[in-house]
Every structure is written in structure tokens, then in C-alpha cells.
Amino acid sequence: MWEFWKRYRRKAYVTLGVLGSGYFLYKLYDTHRRKLSDLHTELKQERRSDELIKFQVKAHFENVQRIADSTTLPHVVRCLRSQIEKELDLTHLTERLMKGKDLPNSLTAAQKLELWDRLKILSFTRMVLSLWAATLLSLYIRVQVDILGRHIYIDTARGIGGSGQFDEIDLIDRNDQQQFLASADYLTSFGLPTLISSFEGATSEVLKGKQLKDFFNTTVLHDTVIQILNTFMSTGSPHHWLSVLMPEDSKRNNLGVTSSTGSTDLSNASKIEQLMLETRAVLSSTEFRNIVDILLKAAVDVLMEDVSVLCGDANLASGMPLAKLLPRIAHMDQILLEEPNRNRYIQVIQDIPEIKIFFTLLYASTAAS
């Protein structure tokens, strides 16, 4: 036996070594295979969890969008239309002019001229102000919704590392959401008198020297409206119109609103303050001003189509006296501030490629946050 072991022990060691190495390699491979399998299962579960969270975030964001489209914007437009009709009521002017027509001696020539001039200024003010307000309010609410979407995304991403459950993530309080969206009422509730005064001043400047007998065709009317808009937008500080569109935030200077793309240092601000400050930062940006210019020009083009329909295409194309055009001008606010689901101007705004790109970039900037 000893002789047998001495003869074959080298082979036995080699065999045992090979078997041991093989067993070790097998165990190493099996351990590695199990780890890969566990990792694959974990990644699969994470993907499912991510997809679920993304779906829930998307559903929540779409719910905010539906609230804005179906409740906030229609409410704001209705209130604005009502206030404009009240603040820029033309009835007293038209009644006095009609009375002067029926009773020629009731008004002097100077009084008639003064009434017609006032009617001219207020009719154009009412139309152009309505166009500007419909455009800016639609944009303002769209910015609000996108900023809410950004915060929902960020809050959700931060919450994933905690509970991992969407229902347990600390999203923006619904009361804060409602309060934020309700700020779209600011123009109607507080800013309208200042806006009317500013537009009336711009309109008076542009229409100075234009007589009731002057002929207006599509080109002249188009250029007149553009001049009124440009005069209003260029009066005062570059962002003077912001003061009528949204409330001032007394803390904004202490919270570092510095970026033209909506990036702000908001570490010391409450949630509602963050939302308002980010909105102001976006609306103050050069990119937003460029979008406003594009949309106002597009809205004026649609306005010309609607005025042409009211006047008769041939009549406005060939030209008509300003006196005959004024009743159509005075009526345009009803069309400009129609319900959003029937409002051509709001629909045109939403379909312009530049605005889709702007809001895509605005929402995508979440990644940089």
C-alpha cells in the first residue's frame, strides 16, 4: 500500500488539485451567476418602479394641465371679459352720439368731435388690450403649469430615494397649487386699471391725427394695431407689463432671481414663493419676450381675418372710412375673449412651433435643476 501511494501520490495530488480548483471555480462561477441574476432582478424591479412613478407623475401633471385648461383659463377669460366691458363701456358714448343725430341741436360740433374721438380711442383700446391680455394670460397659465410640472418631477425624483412610494412622496400641497394657479386672476382683480390707462395712452399716441373720414384697409389697420402694441410694450422699463400681470414679490431681490431661463436661488423661500419667483424669472427672460413678440404678431394676423369677415373681405381690402370701421372694432373684444375651447386666438397660440419649442426647453431644464 505504501509502495502504491509513493508511486501514485504525485498523480493523486494533481488530481485532487484539479478537482479542488474545478470545484472552487464552479462555486465562484455559481456565486457570480447568482449575483448577476439578483442584479438583473433588482434592475428589473427598479425599471418597473421607475415606470410606475413616471406614469403617476405624468397622470398628476396631466391632471394639473386639465384643471388649468378646463377651469383656470376659462374662469380668468370670463372675468376679464366682464371687467373690460365694465371698465371700457362704450354705451354712454354711442347713446349720446345717437341722441345728437336724432336731435341735431343737442350737441355742438365740438362736442360731437370730442365724443367721436373718445369713441375712436376707447374702441381701439378695448380691442388691442383684449388681444394682448388674451395672449399673455394664456402664456402665463402655460408657464405656471410647466413650472408645477417641474416641481412635481423634482419632488418625485427626490422622494424615490426615501420611501419609494409615490403616495408617500411630499409633492406640492394642492392648496399651494390652487393658490399658485389663482394668481392668474391678478390682472383682472388688480392690474386692469393700470393696463387700461397704459393702452389708452399708447392708442392716443398712435391714432393722433387720424380722422374719422380717413380710409382704413387691411394693411393700415394691421400696422395701426402693431404700432399700438409696440408703443405699449416699449413704454417704461423693459418688463413694466409684469406689474399688471402678476403680483410683486417683496422678497425677490433677496432670493437671487438671476437666470434668464428660470433658474433661481430659492433655498430660503416657501413653496408658493418659489413658484411665483420662478414664474417671474421666466416671464422676465429674453426668450419669453421673443415668444411674446411672435405670438402677438400671429394674433394680429388672425385679428385681421376676423375683422375682414365682420366688414366683408372686399370692403376692408379696398378700404373704408374709420367711422364705419369703429363699430366692428368695438365688437372684437367679444371674439378675442371668447371661451377658450372656441377661441381661435388661444388655439393659434398653442399651435405655433416656437411656443412648443420654448415650453419643451423650459420643462427639460428640470434635468439641470
Side-chain angles (χ1 to χ4, degrees), residues 303-346:
L303 177 68
M304 293 304 103
E305 295 174 7
D306 287 340
V307 175
S308 294
V309 171
L310 288 178
C311 297
D313 291 336
N315 293 333
L316 190 59
S318 59
M320 60 193 305
L322 178 56
K324 288 188 177 181
L325 181 60
L326 285 181
R328 281 83 170 180
I329 297 295
H331 178 72
M332 284 308 301
D333 68 296
Q334 299 295 313
I335 300 173
L336 287 160
L337 297 174
E338 197 172 15
E339 288 291 324
N341 60 344
R342 301 192 302 272
N343 193 310
R344 288 184 64 207
Y345 297 88
I346 293 175

Side-chain angles (χ1 to χ4, degrees), residues 122-312:
L122 292 187
S123 295
F124 271 90
T125 297
R126 184 163 158 161
M127 178 181 71
V128 183
L129 183 150
S130 296
L131 182 143
W132 184 91
T135 302
L136 268 293
L137 280 175
S138 179
L139 278 176
Y140 179 76
I141 293 172
R142 180 71 182 273
V143 169
Q144 285 184 307
V145 171
D146 271 60
I147 287 175
L148 276 176
R150 290 174 60 185
H151 277 268
I152 291 168
Y153 181 94
I154 293 169
D155 290 348
T156 301
R158 289 171 178 169
I160 291 174
S163 66
Q165 298 296 318
F166 182 82
D167 292 340
E168 297 178 13
I169 296 172
D170 183 24
L171 294 177
I172 300 172
D173 182 82
R174 291 190 182 276
N175 289 332
D176 283 342
Q177 292 183 28
Q178 292 173 2
Q179 184 181 350
F180 178 52
L181 291 174
S183 69
D185 276 329
Y186 184 83
L187 172 60
T188 303
S189 302
F190 301 101
L192 190 57
T194 301
L195 186 65
I196 289 174
S197 177
S198 298
F199 261 107
E200 190 175 329
T203 303
S204 298
E205 182 177 335
V206 172
L207 294 182
K208 187 186 301 180
K210 294 189 183 296
Q211 306 297 321
L212 296 172
K213 62 183 179 181
D214 291 349
F215 267 65
F216 269 62
N217 57 24
T218 306
T219 302
V220 174
L221 180 60
H222 178 279
D223 292 346
T224 300
V225 173
I226 290 293
Q227 287 175 33
I228 294 172
L229 287 169
N230 289 341
T231 301
F232 167 75
M233 294 296 282
S234 61
T235 301
S237 63
H239 306 110
H240 68 94
W241 46 270
L242 267 179
S243 63
V244 303
L245 191 62
M246 65 181 298
E248 292 282 348
D249 192 313
S250 60
K251 295 184 179 181
R252 72 183 188 281
N253 293 326
N254 298 325
L255 293 173
V257 180
T258 57
S259 172
S260 65
T261 59
S263 177
T264 55
D265 177 14
L266 303 169
S267 56
N268 297 321
S270 68
K271 208 66 170 179
I272 190 67
E273 287 172 343
Q274 290 179 39
L275 295 171
M276 294 302 294
L277 285 166
E278 287 183 30
T279 301
R280 179 173 290 275
V282 171
L283 268 58
S284 300
S285 69
T286 302
E287 294 85 353
F288 184 80
R289 175 57 191 268
N290 293 337
I291 287 295
V292 168
D293 290 341
I294 291 170
L295 297 189
L296 286 175
K297 289 176 182 176
V300 172
D301 290 340
V302 177
L303 177 68
M304 293 304 103
E305 295 174 7
D306 287 340
V307 175
S308 294
V309 171
L310 288 178
C311 297

Side-chain angles (χ1 to χ4, degrees), residues 27-222:
K27 293 297 290 182
L28 186 65
Y29 165 76
D30 185 57
T31 301
H32 181 66
R33 182 183 61 81
R34 288 182 180 181
K35 287 182 178 179
L36 285 176
S37 178
D38 292 343
L39 180 61
H40 178 73
T41 302
E42 184 179 345
L43 289 173
K44 192 173 181 180
Q45 291 175 344
E46 287 182 359
R47 280 196 298 270
R48 288 177 179 174
S49 177
D50 287 345
E51 288 173 1
L52 177 60
I53 290 173
K54 287 178 181 178
F55 173 79
Q56 291 172 316
V57 169
K58 183 174 181 290
H60 189 81
F61 176 70
E62 288 176 348
N63 183 53
V64 173
Q65 179 73 65
R66 278 194 299 271
I67 292 172
D69 290 342
S70 63
T71 305
T72 307
L73 185 56
H75 166 75
V76 168
V77 169
R78 282 193 296 268
C79 292
L80 179 64
R81 183 173 63 240
S82 175
Q83 280 299 107
I84 288 176
E85 289 175 356
K86 179 181 177 181
E87 298 292 336
L88 290 171
D89 184 20
L90 306 177
T91 306
H92 64 291
L93 295 175
T94 55
E95 287 179 349
R96 288 191 65 188
L97 286 169
M98 289 298 294
K99 183 179 179 181
K101 184 178 179 181
D102 296 335
L103 301 172
N105 295 327
S106 63
L107 292 173
T108 65
Q111 288 174 327
K112 288 181 181 179
L113 186 60
E114 183 181 352
L115 288 172
W116 273 108
D117 190 64
R118 189 66 181 153
L119 183 63
K120 175 185 69 176
I121 299 300
L122 292 187
S123 295
F124 271 90
T125 297
R126 184 163 158 161
M127 178 181 71
V128 183
L129 183 150
S130 296
L131 182 143
W132 184 91
T135 302
L136 268 293
L137 280 175
S138 179
L139 278 176
Y140 179 76
I141 293 172
R142 180 71 182 273
V143 169
Q144 285 184 307
V145 171
D146 271 60
I147 287 175
L148 276 176
R150 290 174 60 185
H151 277 268
I152 291 168
Y153 181 94
I154 293 169
D155 290 348
T156 301
R158 289 171 178 169
I160 291 174
S163 66
Q165 298 296 318
F166 182 82
D167 292 340
E168 297 178 13
I169 296 172
D170 183 24
L171 294 177
I172 300 172
D173 182 82
R174 291 190 182 276
N175 289 332
D176 283 342
Q177 292 183 28
Q178 292 173 2
Q179 184 181 350
F180 178 52
L181 291 174
S183 69
D185 276 329
Y186 184 83
L187 172 60
T188 303
S189 302
F190 301 101
L192 190 57
T194 301
L195 186 65
I196 289 174
S197 177
S198 298
F199 261 107
E200 190 175 329
T203 303
S204 298
E205 182 177 335
V206 172
L207 294 182
K208 187 186 301 180
K210 294 189 183 296
Q211 306 297 321
L212 296 172
K213 62 183 179 181
D214 291 349
F215 267 65
F216 269 62
N217 57 24
T218 306
T219 302
V220 174
L221 180 60
H222 178 279

